[in-house]
Amino acid sequence: MSKIVRGTMLLTGASFLSKLLGMLYVIPFNALVGAEGGTLYAFAYTPYSIFISLSTVGIPLAVSKFVSKYNSLGDYETGMRMFKAGSKLMLCTGIIAFLIMFLGADLLAQWMIKGKDAEVTAEDVAFVTRMVSVALIIIPSMSIVRGFFQGHESMGPTAISQVVEQIVRIAFILIGAYIILHILGGSIVTAVGFSTFAAFIGALGSCVVLAIYWKKRKPFLDRQVANQRYTYDLDTKDLFKELFQYAGPFVLVGLAIPLYQFIDQFTFEPAMLASGRQGIWVEAYSVINMYGHKIVIIPMTIATGLSLAMLPSLTQSFTRKNEQMYTKQINQAFQIVLVLVIPASVGIAILSHEVYGALFGMKNIEMTGTLLAWYAPIALLFALFTVTSGILQGIDQQNYAVFSLLSGLLAKILLNSQLIQMFGAKGAIFGTAIAASIAVTLNLWRIKTAIDFKFKQTIKRTMLIGIFTVIMCIVVWILKGIMGLFIPYEESRWAATIMLAVGATGGAVVYLGLAYSSTLLERIFGGKIPLVGRFLRR
């Protein structure tokens, strides 16, 4: 296995593990703070995610590419100079982002929360926003260290620091919330505030890991610089000019999901109040943008991680004008997403009541389960937008990905309030679906026109995936009907857990069995899948 492939798999695995831990911890977190706490947490974390992206402006990834380029030319000093200059820049932008978010928390909260004497108030939102903003001081600088190591084709520091950061953060969240609520007798608002502050504690844990790696690798890095024979001797202005060319406008694309959620934060509560639904808006919001979102994002993370892993190869094929190769790679990128996310999102939708009930309890399950069912298919749109945007970057059309994202965001801004007033909480989901569909459609159109790409193979295999998914759905419905004769899975959390296990296992066996037997998986992944074969005992 090549070093690049091994590194890519390591990063993908670390990212998936972090997302999985991020989903699992919300189960005890929900038991501690409930819907109110989940909504508060989401209100703080969405602007925080946006500020993180804006404060880093794509620099860590750009540093990775920059360092990799000059290392390949034997100029290690230029990469080191860029790292030092970039670190100072990230420290400055992090502090500025912290000050803006911390000092603007009250104003931001007042814009988002209009109701008085509600479960979640503007003062509550401002408090948790200020608590999470502290992490902005160190995370941008920490991220650039990860980018520097990746530029040296060393993925271990990034992967391990990500996982350690998540573990430390989650431990602080759960232990802190428990102590505040059950030992000190504090409020949910205080518990959630310290839970958001866990982002800073987790970042400190990551910094410790990176510092250990840096101390270990520093002598080797110094020898590289000392032994080099030539340097391009770029001045600081030229360094940053090239760096920002790498960072480019593609930074905005990574903000797609937080930006959709940010629009919800400004429109959801006022629209729900205006339509007379003030009694349920807090719990509904927690389903869509906190607890339910954590569930839906898992299949998307796996699929896009596997799919985007091949994009560096796509860039090389496109640069060399190897049309046959890059056409094959684009088809494979699309099909990996479709073969994994379509059955997963449909399965979550069919078992939505069981999934939500098993993880977070049966309270108001008709509302919470129904919202999760509507939200589940959005995972496919998110995944397709991520992959199509990555493909556009690979074929040097990344500017268009920004245009498509802005087009979708404009549609959500214009329609979100009206949709929420018409359809209730589902309206926010419909707004996101319309916005993401517009962005994906525009990206697909650009891919087709820019390189005259043919979608025929992907369409044919998508039809086969659709047939297998329908058969899977029928099997799950039959299982639900049979199980309903014996256990009250619509009323009991433990019964819902049993039904979820039976339904998910039965559906997965049927779908994977059909996909494996028909050689669909083999054709899409470019070879046999031994793990699936052993799972199905074939």
Side-chain angles (χ1 to χ4, degrees):
M1 185 183 296
S2 72
K3 187 176 182 180
I4 295 175
V5 173
R6 187 169 64 250
T8 301
M9 290 180 65
L10 186 62
L11 284 181
T12 301
S15 177
F16 169 68
L17 181 58
S18 294
K19 287 287 191 300
L20 181 62
L21 290 172
M23 187 204 79
L24 293 176
Y25 93 87
V26 298
I27 300 172
F29 185 68
N30 171 265
L32 286 168
V33 300
E36 177 188 346
T39 295
L40 264 175
Y41 193 89
F43 265 90
Y45 247 82
T46 299
Y48 165 74
S49 299
I50 293 172
F51 271 102
I52 282 290
S53 295
L54 293 178
S55 63
T56 57
V57 289
I59 296 299
L61 179 61
V63 164
S64 172
K65 294 181 179 180
F66 186 99
V67 170
S68 178
K69 171 187 172 181
Y70 283 95
N71 282 359
S72 67
L73 297 173
D75 184 0
Y76 300 100
E77 182 186 9
T78 297
M80 183 65 75
R81 286 179 57 223
M82 168 51 67
F83 168 65
K84 292 178 180 177
S87 296
K88 293 176 183 176
L89 175 64
M90 289 296 92
L91 180 61
C92 292
T93 58
I95 292 172
I96 292 170
F98 158 69
L99 291 173
I100 293 173
M101 190 172 180
F102 186 90
L103 298 176
D106 286 311
L107 183 60
L108 191 65
Q110 289 167 9
W111 284 345
M112 293 187 291
I113 305 296
K114 303 297 183 183
K116 302 293 183 181
D117 302 320
E119 291 178 80
V120 173
T121 66
E123 290 76 15
D124 298 339
V125 172
F127 170 70
V128 296
T129 301
R130 282 193 292 268
M131 292 293 282
V132 76
S133 66
V134 181
L136 290 166
I137 298 174
I138 61 172
I139 285 185
S141 299
M142 177 196 70
S143 299
I144 206 169
V145 179
R146 290 174 175 172
F148 180 76
F149 279 123
Q150 288 175 230
H152 282 271
E153 296 185 1
S154 178
M155 307 303 175
T158 297
I160 294 173
S161 66
Q162 278 181 345
V163 174
V164 169
E165 178 182 5
Q166 187 74 308
I167 291 172
V168 171
R169 187 179 74 89
I170 290 171
F172 188 87
I173 287 173
L174 297 180
I175 295 171
Y178 181 84
I179 291 173
I180 290 169
L181 291 171
H182 295 287
I183 297 178
L184 301 180
S187 68
I188 287 178
V189 175
T190 304
V192 174
F194 277 88
S195 295
T196 59
F197 183 73
F200 176 76
I201 303 299
L204 289 179
S206 174
C207 287
V208 170
V209 173
L210 292 172
I212 293 171
Y213 272 105
W214 180 263
K215 184 178 180 180
K216 183 179 178 181
R217 305 279 175 84
K218 188 64 165 60
F220 171 73
L221 296 173
D222 290 339
R223 283 197 300 273
Q224 282 185 321
V225 174
N227 295 333
Q228 74 178 49
R229 297 181 179 180
Y230 178 78
T231 178
Y232 284 83
D233 197 27
L234 299 174
D235 61 30
T236 304
K237 179 181 177 182
D238 290 331
L239 283 176
F240 280 121
K241 183 178 179 181
E242 184 172 349
L243 184 68
F244 281 110
Q245 285 177 345
Y246 289 142
F250 204 72
V251 180
L252 192 60
V253 174
L255 283 169
I257 296 175
L259 285 173
Y260 292 143
Q261 294 177 328
F262 200 51
I263 294 169
D264 283 341
Q265 290 191 187
F266 280 93
T267 56
F268 194 86
E269 188 249 13
M272 290 289 279
L273 264 60
S275 59
R277 299 180 175 96
Q278 60 268 23
I280 62 170
W281 84 265
V282 170
E283 186 162 18
Y285 189 90
S286 72
V287 176
I288 297 171
N289 284 328
M290 176 60 176
Y291 300 124
H293 181 75
K294 295 285 188 180
I295 298 169
V296 167
I297 213 73
I298 291 295
M300 172 198 155
T301 301
I302 302 171
T304 53
L306 291 171
S307 183
L308 292 175
M310 66 188 66
L311 290 183
S313 301
L314 168 62
T315 303
Q316 291 182 2
S317 301
F318 181 76
T319 302
R320 295 169 181 168
K321 298 182 179 180
N322 187 339
E323 182 178 353
Q324 182 178 1
M325 180 57 69
Y326 69 66
T327 298
K328 177 183 177 181
Q329 289 166 335
I330 292 173
N331 268 313
Q332 188 176 18
F334 281 135
Q335 290 165 28
I336 287 174
V337 166
L338 295 168
V339 78
L340 294 175
V341 180
I342 287 178
S345 59
V346 172
I348 292 172
I350 294 175
L351 294 167
S352 60
H353 287 59
E354 291 74 28
V355 172
Y356 204 91
L359 297 179
F360 307 120
M362 304 300 291
K363 181 183 176 182
N364 295 332
I365 193 62
E366 278 303 314
M367 181 186 73
T368 57
T370 301
L371 287 176
L372 179 59
W374 281 105
Y375 192 57
I378 302 295
L380 179 61
L381 295 173
F382 285 160
L384 285 174
F385 177 74
T386 303
V387 172
T388 54
S389 298
I391 291 170
L392 287 173
Q393 186 183 38
I395 62 174
D396 200 24
Q397 296 287 320
Q398 57 265 35
N399 289 348
Y400 195 84
V402 177
F403 168 74
S404 66
L405 172 62
L406 293 176
S407 300
L409 287 173
L410 179 60
K412 185 164 175 69
I413 291 170
L414 294 175
L415 298 174
N416 214 50
S417 290
Q418 289 78 4
L419 289 169
I420 293 170
Q421 292 191 45
M422 290 172 62
F423 301 104
K426 293 194 293 291
I429 299 173
F430 298 159
T432 298
I434 292 170
S437 296
I438 290 172
V440 169
T441 301
L442 289 172
N443 282 357
L444 291 172
W445 177 82
R446 188 61 176 179
I447 292 169
K448 178 175 176 56
T449 56
I451 58 174
D452 192 29
F453 181 76
K454 304 294 190 299
F455 288 95
K456 184 177 180 181
Q457 184 191 91
T458 295
I459 291 172
K460 287 172 63 177
R461 289 182 179 171
T462 302
M463 292 173 64
L464 190 58
I465 291 168
I467 293 170
F468 293 162
T469 302
V470 170
I471 296 172
M472 177 195 78
C473 291
I474 293 171
V475 170
V476 173
W477 279 322
I478 291 172
L479 288 173
K480 288 182 71 172
I482 295 172
M483 293 294 289
L485 299 174
F486 303 101
I487 60 172
Y489 62 80
E490 295 180 350
E491 303 171 7
S492 164
R493 184 171 186 173
W494 290 110
T497 303
I498 294 170
M499 182 64 249
L500 173 62
V502 172
T505 302
V509 168
V510 170
Y511 178 81
L512 290 174
L514 292 169
Y516 186 82
S517 300
S518 65
T519 70
L520 177 64
L521 293 179
E522 183 178 336
R523 292 174 186 274
I524 290 177
F525 287 94
K528 289 186 177 297
I529 316 294
L531 183 62
V532 176
R534 288 197 297 270
F535 175 69
L536 298 171
R537 296 181 180 178
R538 292 178 181 271

